[in-house]
Amino acid sequence: MADPSAGPEDDFPHGAGNPARSALRHAGYTRLAQLTEVTAAEVLALHGVGPKAIRVLREALAAEGRSFAGE
């Protein structure tokens, strides 16, 4: 069982959906800020990430004044 005091596995918005969040973690991403180093197309190519997840992630990045690479 996971240690609740260890903190969350990632800081991605829950609106992105569990399959997308899992795909991002599997690809080595655990922080929203890391997505500024990759393009939306690269993230969309991950199995489990769809257009809705990209929209939610893009909105979350924008709320922090950030964006996917190349945007």
Side-chain angles (χ1 to χ4, degrees):
M1 188 160 137
D3 178 5
S5 65
E9 291 181 57
D10 63 57
D11 68 351
F12 303 125
H14 288 277
N18 287 334
R21 293 173 66 216
S22 178
L24 288 163
R25 285 192 307 268
H26 183 70
Y29 303 107
T30 58
R31 299 288 168 245
L32 189 62
Q34 291 174 294
L35 300 183
T36 63
E37 301 171 9
V38 293
T39 66
E42 290 173 305
V43 175
L44 186 59
L46 298 174
H47 180 75
V49 178
K52 178 186 173 190
I54 294 296
R55 179 182 50 79
V56 170
L57 292 168
R58 185 176 278 128
E59 289 170 358
L61 285 165
E64 295 183 359
R66 300 171 188 250
S67 64
F68 286 110
E71 292 187 358

